[in-house]
Amino acid sequence: MPPVRLASLTCSNTDILHALHATDRLVAVDSHSDAPGIEHAVRLGPDLNIDVDALTRARPDLVLASLSVPGMERVVQAVQAAGLNTVILDPTSVPDTAATIRQVGALLGLPERGEEVAAALEAELAALHRAAPAPARVLVEWWPKPIIAATRDSWVTDLLTSLGAVNALAERAGRSSPLTLDEVRAARPDLIVCSWCGAKKLRPEVIESRGLGVPVVAVPESGLGRPGPRLIEGARQIRAALDAL
């Protein structure tokens, strides 16, 4: 029998549930999730500091956890130690993300809807692809001070490739990395994406003031920092910025 009572510990998982029309099953959710239809769910605190006692009291049949942000492994360990039925979602590419959507759809007894959402993401991304003899080098900045940007093992790398661009830091190991301004310059970006995680306001002018002479586009974290169906939102904005180069 598919789980009736769900808990989501991060925004990307909640976005998947919203796309699957399953947010009515949520009994608990992290405090950063902002998908519609989750007002009834107990808030558990930020994704890196989940209140496991409150989560346990909500009595979920299934907890959708994540490892998409460094530090989440501690939360996962605490949830598993509490004896809660847990599935860990950790996509690091566009194919992984589509597979995760299908996986959640199957877990919830909604395989057709999962296939529909995943296939729509794949099709829309494919339609945004533009071949270029010299693909644009794009740097996605997660935080301004210190500068932190997406590196090789982030889903960003695959997303940019699907658009016909490249991650300017694709040769740097890990999902993200702190950078000096000289290292940003050495990456030779043609475009910088301001997608600060957890910031109340994006300020691309801060990046522009560094004097690199590189175009900057602001893309909300909701459309780029979450490996789920909303990646298409960020992809559309980056496509438009690439076309304007």
Side-chain angles (χ1 to χ4, degrees):
M1 180 176 178
V4 175
R5 299 172 63 83
L6 304 175
S8 170
L9 305 189
T10 195
C11 301
S12 54
N13 294 351
T14 309
D15 289 345
I16 291 172
L17 293 178
H18 173 65
L20 295 176
H21 303 156
T23 52
D24 59 326
R25 302 193 199 182
L26 276 170
V27 294
V29 67
D30 69 284
S31 61
H32 291 152
S33 284
D34 54 6
I38 61 174
E39 297 78 14
H40 61 284
V42 173
R43 292 287 181 164
L44 300 170
D47 52 15
L48 291 177
N49 192 26
I50 293 294
D51 185 336
V52 178
D53 289 339
L55 174 61
T56 301
R57 289 194 297 271
R59 297 181 295 107
D61 301 317
L62 178 66
V63 178
L64 298 179
S66 175
L67 294 175
S68 62
V69 176
M72 284 182 168
E73 60 277 3
R74 296 190 300 272
V75 172
V76 170
Q77 291 168 1
V79 172
Q80 291 176 329
L84 297 172
N85 183 27
T86 307
V87 169
I88 303 166
L89 306 178
D90 189 26
T92 58
S93 68
V94 171
D96 284 353
T97 300
T100 294
I101 293 169
R102 292 183 171 99
Q103 175 189 0
V104 175
L107 286 170
L108 302 189
L110 302 169
E112 297 86 0
R113 180 59 185 165
E115 177 59 34
E116 180 182 347
V117 173
L121 175 64
E122 292 168 331
E124 288 191 69
L125 282 173
L128 292 175
H129 180 81
R130 306 283 188 276
R137 297 175 60 83
V138 181
L139 187 145
V140 173
E141 183 170 301
W142 295 136
W143 197 248
K145 193 174 182 180
I147 299 170
I148 298 176
T151 50
R152 183 187 66 201
D153 302 320
S154 169
W155 55 86
V156 163
T157 299
D158 194 56
L159 182 69
L160 292 172
T161 300
S162 72
L163 296 175
V166 296
N167 184 348
L169 298 172
E171 296 181 358
R172 195 170 183 123
R175 301 190 188 197
S176 64
S177 176
L179 302 169
T180 65
L181 187 56
D182 283 343
E183 287 174 318
V184 173
R185 187 177 291 109
R188 298 179 289 107
D190 300 302
L191 175 71
I192 296 177
V193 179
C194 176
S195 190
W196 298 342
C197 298
K200 293 183 179 179
K201 181 180 180 181
L202 297 178
R203 298 179 58 200
E205 66 273 14
V206 170
I207 298 175
E208 293 167 345
S209 70
R210 296 173 188 157
L212 296 172
V214 177
V216 180
V217 62
V219 175
E221 173 272 338
S222 58
L224 195 55
R226 307 176 184 181
R230 294 187 68 179
L231 283 179
I232 193 60
E233 298 172 12
R236 290 177 187 138
Q237 289 180 270
I238 294 173
R239 176 74 270 157
L242 290 170
D243 290 344
L245 291 178

